Amino acid sequence: NKTTSLAFDDLDLSYGRWDNQHAYKIKDFAIVGDQYTESSENSLICLATQSSVERLNSLAQVSANWYGPISVALFSASNEEFLILQYFITYMRLCFPNIKANATFHILIPRDYEKLPKVVTLPFILKGKFDCRYPEKTLKALLKLRTVKTLQWRQRNTYPQNHMRNLARKGCQSKYVFLTDIDIIPSTNIVAQLNDFFKGERCTKNCAYVIPTFEIDVRAPFPRSKKSLLRLIRKGLARPFHEKVFIYNQYATNFTKWLSTNLNETDVTKISHSVTNFEFLYEPFYIAMDNVPAHDERFTGYGFTRNSQVYEMHIAGFEFYVLTPVFTCHWGLQRKQTRPAWREQQNNINRKKFDGFKSEIFARYRTQKSSKNKILIK
């Protein structure tokens, strides 16, 4: 077997652009997919997503269903995590041709990155060392490189989700951006369907197009169509995302309407219905042009990271339309009991920040009609 050079081998992390608070250093386009430029020119939609090292194995399944440009923001907390990224991105580029062709990677590191542990890079023969059939198992083996010091740093410092979302989004070169999290898996053939839809779409306002998201039982097969998704729901093997954990997360999408209409529809993507019951705490995964407000980077960790941005979109006058038959899935039926206590702690911290954010939003869009500003916050 031939020794393969590691991903990011020539990347100098001693310099890069800073975020607005000088808390994180950013390396844009650290690796560009072999066909990323061409794919961006040929596709109207780019998938923007973000991940810490622990969840990056999900990119394998995302790329199996998304044959178009993918802009991925990666977080590296330490030299150990950077080494893991080097090995695992190399592994994925060797094993998954669509990642090598279409995925472009950007890296964000914390300001005190150099103070964290360093690992000596050893010669690594990747081909044959890792099995391409098991990305999750491969990543778990690599994660053992992290020391206690790095893990402790990660516990003390919240994950900068909104920095990552902004970074991934700005890496897209297409007209429309589909912003997701790394473990949100698109339905099959979605790129071709969406491109056909957007070729004929003539939005006259500020528009966002919601892709409904569902939780899938890990024992079930991935649904290949809306009909197969409906069968899983009837069997209790699928349900709307966050339905049991926090129903307001996706409630305004109106899954009942989406599931009950167009049961004999073809693969042609169209608007199912408009979101008419917008509520605070709504955070759909949506496609929009890059004229949407940025994600506010004061919100880090969990809570108020996505919904604050969607809330600002609503106040700014964006209209939300739900598309069919396309959808996305998240593996696992979630329960409140499985949520760690630290998530609620982070949520409470961000809830306090939201009051100031809300006042700023109202001041910024005070010319909007007062009816747009009256949202009951529970």
Side-chain angles (χ1 to χ4, degrees):
N1 285 329
K2 176 182 168 182
T3 302
T4 304
S5 61
L6 290 177
F8 313 120
D9 243 4
D10 299 326
L11 201 65
D12 187 348
L13 295 179
S14 63
Y15 68 92
R17 67 180 177 93
W18 288 103
D19 73 307
N20 292 335
Q21 286 81 39
H22 272 235
Y24 301 97
K25 196 180 290 181
I26 298 164
K27 300 293 285 191
D28 300 278
F29 301 99
I31 288 181
V32 179
D34 294 355
Q35 296 170 26
Y36 188 72
T37 302
E38 182 182 349
S39 294
S40 297
E41 290 172 354
N42 294 334
S43 178
L44 288 168
I45 310 101
C46 167
L47 180 72
T49 191
Q50 48 83 28
S51 182
S52 59
V53 290
E54 298 92 346
R55 297 172 181 265
L56 197 49
N57 57 288
S58 294
L59 184 59
Q61 190 170 5
V62 170
S63 71
N65 288 0
W66 187 273
Y67 271 80
I70 308 172
S71 174
V72 188
L74 303 173
F75 181 68
S76 174
S78 67
N79 285 280
E80 297 164 354
E81 291 199 347
F82 183 68
L83 187 61
I84 292 167
L85 288 177
Q86 285 190 284
Y87 286 162
F88 196 65
I89 297 298
T90 306
Y91 160 81
M92 287 201 293
R93 282 170 57 85
L94 284 170
C95 289
F96 305 102
N98 193 36
I99 292 179
K100 189 173 189 296
N102 283 317
T104 286
F105 298 96
H106 323 278
I107 295 179
L108 184 141
I109 61 175
R111 181 176 53 203
D112 52 359
Y113 177 87
E114 291 299 331
K115 298 176 185 176
L116 289 163
K118 292 188 178 181
V119 184
V120 177
T121 305
L122 301 174
F124 212 82
I125 300 174
L126 287 167
K127 205 72 172 173
K129 182 74 175 180
F130 291 139
D131 194 324
C132 289
R133 294 173 298 174
Y134 305 113
E136 185 175 2
K137 184 178 177 182
T138 300
L139 183 58
K140 281 183 178 178
L142 287 171
L143 288 172
K144 293 175 182 176
L145 283 171
R146 292 189 297 183
T147 62
V148 172
K149 189 173 180 181
T150 291
L151 295 173
Q152 288 174 340
W153 187 94
R154 287 291 301 275
Q155 288 175 348
R156 291 193 307 271
N157 295 270
T158 51
Y159 178 66
Q161 296 206 45
N162 281 356
H163 289 77
M164 302 293 285
R165 291 181 176 119
N166 289 335
L167 176 57
R169 185 176 119 190
K170 289 302 180 184
C172 279
Q173 309 289 292
S174 304
K175 182 177 180 180
Y176 293 94
V177 177
F178 182 21
L179 185 63
T180 68
D181 293 336
I182 196 71
D183 49 8
I184 300 298
I185 314 299
S187 53
T188 57
N189 199 37
I190 190 170
V191 176
Q193 291 172 265
L194 290 174
N195 271 310
D196 286 343
F197 171 79
F198 281 107
K199 281 174 188 173
E201 181 60 6
R202 297 290 181 268
C203 175
T204 56
K205 305 174 184 177
N206 286 330
C207 301
Y209 302 86
V210 175
I211 310 294
T213 304
F214 295 84
E215 299 174 0
I216 309 296
D217 193 299
V218 293
R219 300 167 296 177
F222 189 89
R224 310 297 293 180
S225 65
K226 184 174 178 178
K227 283 186 178 179
S228 59
L229 174 62
L230 284 165
R231 286 194 291 269
L232 291 179
I233 291 172
R234 292 191 192 106
K235 294 177 182 177
L237 295 172
R239 65 190 180 206
F241 189 50
H242 281 327
E243 184 179 60
K244 301 297 183 184
V245 174
F246 189 69
I247 194 169
Y248 296 108
N249 181 277
Q250 304 285 319
Y251 189 72
T253 294
N254 195 344
F255 289 96
T256 302
K257 191 165 189 175
W258 189 84
L259 291 166
S260 62
T261 56
N262 307 312
L263 296 182
N264 296 316
E265 64 193 7
T266 64
D267 284 343
V268 176
T269 297
K270 56 188 175 182
I271 294 172
S272 168
H273 57 277
S274 301
V275 173
T276 56
N277 58 335
F278 186 95
E279 299 186 45
F280 177 66
L281 299 177
Y282 184 43
E283 48 181 33
F285 293 104
Y286 63 83
I287 297 171
M289 289 192 287
D290 196 27
N291 61 345
V292 298
H295 286 71
D296 194 293
E297 294 176 358
R298 81 188 82 180
F299 297 104
T300 60
Y302 285 92
F304 296 86
T305 55
R306 281 199 297 122
N307 73 273
S308 57
Q309 190 267 347
V310 175
Y311 175 75
E312 182 175 352
M313 287 174 67
H314 177 72
I315 297 301
F318 277 79
E319 301 287 342
F320 293 85
Y321 301 96
V322 182
L323 296 185
T324 186
V326 291
F327 57 89
T328 58
C329 294
H330 181 281
W331 284 112
L333 300 178
Q334 300 179 73
R335 296 178 297 121
K336 279 186 179 178
Q337 295 87 335
T338 61
R339 289 292 177 91
W342 55 261
R343 280 189 66 150
E344 188 56 33
Q345 291 168 0
Q346 292 179 8
N347 193 63
N348 289 335
I349 292 170
N350 282 337
R351 185 180 287 112
K352 293 174 183 175
K353 294 178 184 177
F354 183 78
D355 289 336
F357 171 81
K358 183 179 70 169
S359 299
E360 292 172 20
I361 294 307
F362 281 137
R364 191 178 305 159
Y365 299 102
R366 62 182 177 273
T367 55
Q368 296 286 337
K369 292 180 181 179
S370 60
S371 60
K372 284 285 184 184
N373 297 340
K374 292 177 180 176
I375 298 174
L376 178 61
I377 301 179
K378 299 178 181 178

